[in-house]
Amino acid sequence: MSVAEAAGTSEVPEPGRRNRSSSPRQIPVVGVVTEDEDAQGAFKTMDLNRVIKLLEETDKDDLEEEQLKSVKKLVQCYQNGLPLRDLAQIFKILNLCAEKIENQPHFIESAFNILKLCGLPFLKKKVSDEITYAEDTANSIALLGELMKIPNSELRIQICKCIVDFYHAEPLKKHITGYQQASSSYKIKMAEVGGLAKKMVQSLALLENQLVEKLWVLKALQHLSTSEVNCTLMMKAQAASGICAHLNDPDPSGQLLFRSSEILWNLLEKSSKEEIIQQLSNLECLLTLKEVFKNLFMRGFSHYDRQLRNDILVITTIIAQNPGAPMIECGFTRDLILFATFNEVKSQNPLVKGLKLSNSYEDFELKKLLFNIIVILCKDLPTIQLLIDGKVILALLTYVKKPEKHKTIEWSAAQYEELQLHAIATLSSVAPLLTEEYMLCQGNARVLAFLQWCESEDSFFSHGNSYHGTGGRGNKFAQMRYSLRLLRAMVYLEDETINNDLCEKGTIQQLIGVFKNIIKSHDKEEAIVLEIQSDILLILSGLCEHHIPRKEIFGTEGVDIILHVMKTDPMKFQSGLGYNVLLFSTLDSIWCCILGCYPLEDYFLEKEGIFLLLDLLALNQKKFCNLVLGIMVEFCDNPKTTAHVNTWRGKKDQTAASLLIKLWRKEEKELGVKRDKHGMIIDTKKPLFTSFQEEQKIMPLPANCPTIAIMDVAENIRAKIYAVLGKLDFENLPGLSAEDFVTLCIIHRYLDFKIGEIWNEIYEEIKLEKLRPVTTDKKILEAITTASENIGKMVASLQSEMIESQAHQDVQNEQKVYAKIQATHKQRELASKSWENFLARTSNAKTLKVPSGRVVTVESTPARLLGGPLADTDIALKKLPIRGGALQRVRAAKTVNEPKKIAPT
């Protein structure tokens, strides 16, 4: 932060104010206040440069008294505050006085009195003064740190008091005409800019055996460390290690430990945490922290001591996160393990002999902090032997039981519940590292018995107040959740001793029962219930994988719970409550608990499990597709699967084959595979190449390293789609469009294309390594490359024929539709014409006139045509038959001989 920026954050400069450096410097003046002026609060001018010049003179022997008087006069004139414009001169006078102290001790009082003035408010005449004089102010305040080098206790203490006063600004005691007080944060900001904190840290080295002065410096640093800028400066001065190393120095008042720990806290929070940890991760600091903690643990009985003890433990926990911290070497790890377990496991160690914890809040927090640091310490493998020696597993397992009145420590019900959950959570991290101790302590039996209690209907009111107890108020969900986490951690070790022990104790049946019961509580604490269900399925997967007898134990009851989850409303997958995790766990359990066991596969098929898998695939969610297709590939080895897959229908009567081909097209579009608008192959040499493969250059690799072409098989779903369609028989796939058949040509030849791609990589690597194959090998390589390209051309040709055939078929279909439309229009025209003729013969007078010539006699219209004498004419007309567009001739009509025409005269 620049000086101007720091000053600018406090107040805005006066508009139009010229920069201080652009105008000539005027001689600063200070007021000598008369009685009348004192009432009005005014300064009388005084030449400060004269005082400076007087102090700089050294050639006269009788100047000391005059110099002291001039300084005293200056001090009297600034009793109400220091103007910013005079600050540089005043501090220069202070510095001159300080330089004379060594040879002229009388100047100590003068320097002391000027330092007292520094605690007074700074005054500004204009709003812009804070910016104009910012650099002078910062340099002046920085001088305070330099003055700490003067070996005088009073001056050092007064300097610290001035700094503390920066943070406790008081209003002006008396208003001074023409001046106003600078902003309350101005001194603090200028201290940051001047780097005062760094110099104060450096002054600690001068105060090794001077407790009072050291306490005052620590007090000043405590205030300074509330700023991020100052903490960064202190960090660069190695404040953390310097302060921590002296935590255990003798101090009857206890202030040293309190203020030092507060400074360390601020440094960890407001500067680079990693750098501070590094500074504290040395043997000297950790030995000091160890002794301080032991003293407070064993002899601290007051509320204040217990709080301080816990603060030291938190700082230690943060340091322990650094693998390079010598926690074991200094013996701190062993002591912490002892303190964490002495209540649960009896110890003869004198450190804990006769020691007891109360149920006070501080001791309760201590217990949780000790559990927490064990989790961090166990990440360092050399700690494992210390955990074994300290019987940590046995101590933690004492909490894995039905809650009952504790005999050793009278924790409240809520406290014991929280400690119980914390202990089980700690076991999840520690027990996988100490499997032998876990089995010796009957860990599986204890956890399963505790899980059975969690499932029981025993009256138990959970408080659920803690982090670990979230969602467990009034139920046992929290206990069940952490017990299952512990079991999951142990099962995932794939240790057959542990897994066999679990299966022999009926874990598979017990977990299936728990799952069924938990379904009934689905509406309560939904997120936690989903996590419990997910963990149960993951544990079952870990136990049943690669073990057919265990899959048989899993049985149809296990398949039913899987089917239940798969019928979940797809909309819930977007809820964020954990349905996605549950679905992944379910798919994993299909793979591990069902596949490979033919009776369970058949039962899954009978219950329309394949339909549910295809429904899930039709959701078109990429995160599920890979896993679902992998399961489909394995299921297709069962001969009964094909019929189920071909029977399935999705939205708009979509078939499974059409769905898979659609997924292929989408995958290729995302991979950037080159295809034309019809989905045809563009590059017959590289028909499967993705955009990533195009960007990557072929590089020679060791034989055991997969190439890009090989990695492509595992990194997308095309290979799985090929495998599924291949097992369904490419030739008899229902419900495909012409576009689907075009894509199917590529899928059908996927393996040929991929083999050609790999041979091409081999050929290119040989060229890059500048190897020349023998003639026979070269011909074979060229033949393989040519054959691969020919297959691409053949597929492209077949695709063209399909597209042309489809286009021809579309034209024929279009012509048929047009012919049908024309016939319809013609029929409508004939019907319209017939109707018009009929109307003309019944209602047009001119048409009804009979011309001379043949006479036609018409009998009365039969009643069957008119429907009676009162029948509606329109209805009657609607019943008239129309054939060929004309009315029928009535049979009753008779023709009379036409009379001869008379020739005109």
Side-chain angles (χ1 to χ4, degrees):
M1 181 188 294
S2 67
V3 175
E5 287 173 342
T9 56
S10 57
E11 294 215 15
V12 180
E14 182 180 66
R17 175 70 180 179
R18 293 177 61 193
N19 189 284
R20 181 173 176 268
S21 60
S22 63
S23 60
R25 169 75 182 186
Q26 297 181 355
I27 298 174
V29 294
V30 66
V32 179
V33 184
T34 64
E35 292 182 1
D36 294 337
E37 291 172 336
D38 182 56
Q40 298 176 1
F43 280 126
K44 188 174 181 180
T45 57
M46 176 180 178
D47 190 352
L48 289 177
N49 282 340
R50 179 180 172 279
V51 179
I52 294 172
K53 187 175 180 182
L54 182 63
L55 290 170
E56 289 176 343
E57 291 182 5
T58 58
D59 53 347
K60 295 181 182 179
D61 298 333
D62 57 346
L63 283 176
E64 181 176 343
E65 185 175 351
E66 186 179 352
Q67 290 170 340
L68 291 172
K69 285 182 179 180
S70 64
V71 174
K72 185 176 181 180
K73 188 176 181 181
L74 181 146
V75 171
Q76 290 175 347
C77 294
Y78 282 99
Q79 293 300 312
N80 293 322
L82 300 179
L84 291 176
R85 65 178 185 176
D86 298 341
L87 207 59
Q89 281 65 40
I90 294 172
F91 271 84
K92 187 171 183 180
I93 293 169
L94 172 62
N95 192 38
L96 290 170
C97 292
E99 290 173 354
K100 294 179 179 291
I101 288 175
E102 185 176 358
N103 298 320
Q104 297 173 276
H106 292 98
F107 278 92
I108 292 176
E109 184 180 358
S110 299
F112 182 85
N113 290 332
I114 296 175
L115 283 171
K116 289 178 69 176
L117 296 179
C118 296
L120 298 174
F122 286 177
L123 305 175
K124 58 184 178 181
K125 200 174 184 74
K126 297 181 179 180
V127 174
S128 60
D129 282 359
E130 290 190 7
I131 294 177
T132 304
Y133 300 106
E135 185 174 354
D136 287 344
T137 306
N139 292 335
S140 299
I141 291 177
L143 182 62
L144 295 175
E146 295 294 337
L147 296 178
M148 289 295 295
K149 297 176 182 178
I150 299 174
N152 183 277
S153 177
E154 292 181 354
L155 287 179
R156 287 171 172 171
I157 292 172
Q158 185 57 44
I159 291 169
C160 295
K161 287 181 178 180
C162 289
I163 296 171
V164 172
D165 287 341
F166 291 175
Y167 295 85
H168 305 283
E170 295 182 359
L172 284 171
K173 296 180 180 178
K174 186 182 296 183
H175 176 70
I176 301 175
T177 305
Y179 289 90
Q180 54 183 311
Q181 186 173 352
S183 60
S184 59
S185 61
Y186 185 68
K187 288 184 180 180
I188 298 172
K189 294 183 186 302
M190 292 302 101
E192 294 174 358
V193 175
L196 177 61
K198 183 177 180 180
K199 294 175 181 177
M200 294 302 293
V201 171
Q202 292 170 346
S203 71
L204 281 172
L206 306 172
L207 310 173
E208 291 291 339
N209 300 314
Q210 301 171 44
L211 180 60
V212 177
E213 297 168 33
K214 185 186 292 187
L215 291 178
W216 271 105
V217 173
L218 289 173
K219 185 175 182 179
L221 287 173
Q222 184 182 355
H223 284 79
L224 289 169
S225 65
T226 56
S227 156
E228 292 184 4
V229 175
N230 286 336
C231 282
T232 302
L233 292 169
M234 293 167 67
M235 176 192 71
K236 292 178 180 178
Q238 302 292 312
S241 56
I243 292 172
C244 184
H246 295 280
L247 280 176
N248 207 30
D249 287 358
D251 174 27
S253 69
Q255 289 188 50
L256 187 145
L257 183 56
F258 164 69
R259 299 196 188 282
S260 298
S261 63
E262 185 73 19
I263 294 169
L264 291 176
W265 261 113
N266 290 340
L267 288 172
L268 286 166
E269 289 181 352
K270 299 180 185 296
S271 63
S272 172
K273 185 177 180 181
E274 293 74 19
E275 177 62 27
I276 299 299
I277 291 174
Q278 198 63 40
Q279 289 184 20
L280 296 173
S281 298
N282 59 72
L283 199 60
E284 184 181 11
C285 289
L286 286 171
L287 282 170
T288 304
L289 286 169
K290 171 190 167 185
E291 293 304 317
V292 169
F293 181 75
K294 282 169 59 177
N295 290 335
L296 291 171
F297 193 95
M298 299 167 62
R299 303 178 184 89
F301 299 103
S302 68
H303 174 76
Y304 166 78
D305 288 341
R306 289 171 176 170
Q307 281 187 329
L308 198 55
R309 173 199 63 191
N310 292 355
D311 288 345
I312 296 296
L313 183 54
V314 173
I315 293 172
T316 304
T317 303
I318 295 171
I319 299 171
Q321 294 174 6
N322 178 16
M327 294 288 294
I328 297 176
E329 292 82 345
C330 69
F332 207 173
T333 298
R334 183 180 294 277
D335 288 347
L336 289 170
I337 292 172
L338 174 66
F339 292 142
T341 60
F342 80 94
N343 279 312
E344 294 77 20
V345 180
K346 299 302 179 184
S347 173
Q348 300 302 318
N349 193 304
L351 288 176
V352 294
K353 189 174 182 180
L355 190 63
K356 291 184 179 180
L357 295 178
S358 67
N359 62 355
S360 66
Y361 175 78
E362 290 76 22
D363 283 355
F364 173 61
E365 287 296 314
L366 171 70
K367 192 68 178 177
K368 293 193 295 180
L369 288 171
L370 288 168
F371 283 165
N372 186 56
I373 201 170
I374 285 176
V375 174
I376 293 171
L377 292 172
C378 74
K379 295 176 183 178
D380 187 13
L381 292 181
T383 308
I384 292 177
Q385 186 58 48
L386 296 177
L387 295 173
I388 295 172
D389 297 341
K391 300 180 180 180
V392 172
I393 294 294
L394 179 60
L396 294 173
L397 282 173
T398 59
Y399 289 92
V400 186
K401 61 181 180 180
K402 176 182 176 180
E404 57 186 17
K405 191 172 182 180
H406 211 266
K407 297 179 180 179
T408 307
I409 308 173
E410 295 294 335
W411 300 112
S412 69
Q415 286 177 330
Y416 183 79
E417 179 193 347
E418 190 170 347
L419 288 177
Q420 182 184 59
L421 295 173
H422 207 142
I424 300 173
T426 304
L427 270 170
S428 299
S429 299
V430 179
L433 303 173
L434 307 172
T435 54
E436 291 184 11
E437 285 65 31
Y438 176 81
M439 294 302 293
L440 286 172
C441 296
Q442 296 293 315
N444 286 337
R446 294 191 189 212
V447 176
L448 291 175
F450 185 68
L451 189 62
Q452 187 175 8
W453 170 79
C454 293
E455 190 186 3
S456 68
E457 297 182 357
D458 286 2
S459 57
F460 172 74
F461 182 78
S462 174
H463 293 77
N465 296 324
S466 65
Y467 167 78
H468 294 95
T470 302
R473 188 170 183 81
N475 55 57
K476 304 172 189 173
F477 287 164
Q479 287 80 0
M480 185 180 291
R481 175 168 60 163
Y482 281 95
S483 300
L484 290 169
R485 283 187 185 180
L486 173 55
L487 283 178
R488 187 186 68 188
M490 301 310 296
V491 168
Y492 269 35
L493 294 174
E494 297 183 0
D495 187 323
E496 278 305 304
T497 303
I498 296 173
N499 290 355
N500 282 332
D501 183 61
L502 284 169
C503 293
E504 289 171 2
K505 289 180 168 57
T507 304
I508 295 175
Q509 300 95 318
Q510 184 177 348
L511 291 179
I512 291 173
V514 172
F515 195 102
K516 287 182 175 181
N517 291 332
I518 206 74
I519 290 173
K520 301 173 185 177
S521 307
H522 199 276
D523 295 334
K524 300 177 181 178
E525 302 296 342
E526 190 172 6
I528 294 177
V529 170
L530 291 173
E531 183 184 338
I532 290 172
Q533 291 176 326
S534 299
D535 283 341
I536 289 174
L537 291 175
L538 289 172
I539 293 167
L540 291 171
S541 298
L543 290 174
C544 295
E545 190 174 16
H546 309 308
H547 290 273
I548 300 298
R550 294 178 187 172
K551 292 181 181 182
E552 292 172 352
I553 295 172
F554 182 78
T556 56
E557 286 187 88
V559 177
D560 287 337
I561 64 174
I562 289 175
L563 293 170
H564 172 82
V565 176
M566 293 184 68
K567 292 175 183 177
T568 303
D569 182 1
M571 295 299 293
K572 292 184 177 180
F573 296 144
Q574 311 299 329
S575 66
L577 292 174
Y579 281 96
N580 281 342
V581 177
L582 178 59
L583 184 57
F584 276 117
S585 304
T586 304
L587 294 174
D588 186 56
S589 62
I590 293 174
W591 196 292
C592 299
C593 302
I594 297 177
L595 287 171
C597 182
Y598 295 120
L600 295 189
E601 286 185 11
D602 292 345
Y603 184 77
F604 184 81
L605 292 172
E606 289 172 11
K607 294 295 183 178
E608 301 181 348
I610 287 294
F611 289 2
L612 295 173
L613 284 173
L614 289 168
D615 288 340
L616 186 59
L617 200 59
L619 295 176
N620 204 9
Q621 294 193 18
K622 191 173 180 65
K623 53 191 172 185
F624 301 133
C625 286
N626 204 356
L627 191 51
V628 173
L629 285 169
I631 293 170
M632 291 286 295
V633 171
E634 296 298 325
F635 255 112
C636 285
D637 288 336
N638 190 319
K640 298 179 182 179
T641 303
T642 303
H644 287 264
V645 174
N646 289 332
T647 304
W648 178 84
R649 291 295 181 271
K651 292 181 179 179
K652 298 181 181 179
D653 206 32
Q654 184 183 35
T655 62
S658 176
L659 171 62
L660 293 170
I661 293 171
K662 181 181 176 182
L663 289 173
W664 175 285
R665 283 197 294 268
K666 181 186 175 186
E667 185 76 1
E668 287 201 328
K669 185 177 179 180
E670 292 175 355
L671 294 172
V673 180
K674 293 179 180 178
R675 299 281 183 260
D676 68 5
K677 63 180 181 180
H678 300 294
M680 288 179 53
I681 293 174
I682 293 178
D683 188 350
T684 56
K685 292 183 179 180
K686 302 174 182 178
L688 297 178
F689 252 47
T690 65
S691 58
F692 176 76
Q693 288 175 281
E694 292 283 0
E695 294 169 0
Q696 298 296 315
K697 295 181 180 179
I698 295 176
M699 297 175 59
L701 295 171
N704 61 343
C705 293
T707 63
I708 297 174
I710 297 296
M711 292 298 295
D712 174 74
V713 175
E715 290 176 351
N716 59 70
I717 62 174
R718 291 189 294 179
K720 292 184 176 68
I721 293 174
Y722 165 77
V724 174
L725 290 174
K727 291 182 179 182
L728 294 177
D729 187 358
F730 284 106
E731 303 298 329
N732 300 302
L733 299 175
L736 302 185
S737 64
E739 184 184 15
D740 291 338
F741 278 113
V742 170
T743 306
L744 188 62
C745 291
I746 301 172
I747 301 174
H748 194 188
R749 289 291 185 172
Y750 172 79
L751 188 58
D752 295 329
F753 289 148
K754 184 56 68 174
I755 291 172
E757 196 176 295
I758 294 167
W759 275 110
N760 183 63
E761 280 188 336
I762 295 171
Y763 198 13
E764 292 298 325
E765 285 186 23
I766 290 174
K767 290 179 181 179
L768 289 171
E769 293 178 351
K770 296 181 180 180
L771 300 175
R772 189 174 64 182
V774 296
T775 305
T776 306
D777 289 344
K778 185 176 181 181
K779 288 181 179 179
I780 292 172
L781 283 171
E782 291 174 349
I784 291 171
T785 305
T786 304
S788 177
E789 186 177 353
N790 289 338
I791 292 173
K793 291 177 179 178
M794 180 189 70
V795 172
S797 175
L798 180 60
Q799 288 178 320
S800 298
E801 290 178 8
M802 287 182 174
I803 292 171
E804 290 175 4
S805 175
Q806 182 62 34
H808 180 68
Q809 184 65 38
D810 290 342
V811 170
Q812 289 183 336
N813 292 339
E814 186 177 347
Q815 289 176 347
K816 289 180 181 179
V817 172
Y818 283 148
K820 187 176 180 180
I821 292 171
Q822 287 175 344
T824 302
H825 279 288
K826 185 175 181 181
Q827 186 66 22
R828 288 177 180 173
E829 289 174 1
L830 291 174
S832 177
K833 186 177 180 180
S834 174
W835 179 249
E836 290 173 359
N837 289 337
F838 174 75
L839 290 178
R841 293 178 181 180
T842 55
S843 58
N844 193 326
K846 292 182 179 180
T847 306
L848 292 175
K849 290 180 180 179
V850 179
S852 60
R854 182 177 298 176
V855 178
V856 178
T857 304
V858 181
E859 293 182 357
S860 177
T861 304
R864 61 185 176 82
L865 294 177
L866 298 178
L870 299 178
D872 184 87
T873 304
D874 292 338
I875 296 176
L877 289 175
K878 290 177 182 176
K879 294 181 179 179
L880 288 175
I882 298 174
R883 294 183 183 175
L887 294 172
Q888 290 182 353
R889 179 177 292 178
V890 181
R891 293 180 181 177
K894 294 182 179 180
T895 304
V896 183
N897 290 334
E898 183 180 25
K900 293 182 178 180
K901 296 182 179 178
I902 300 174
T905 57

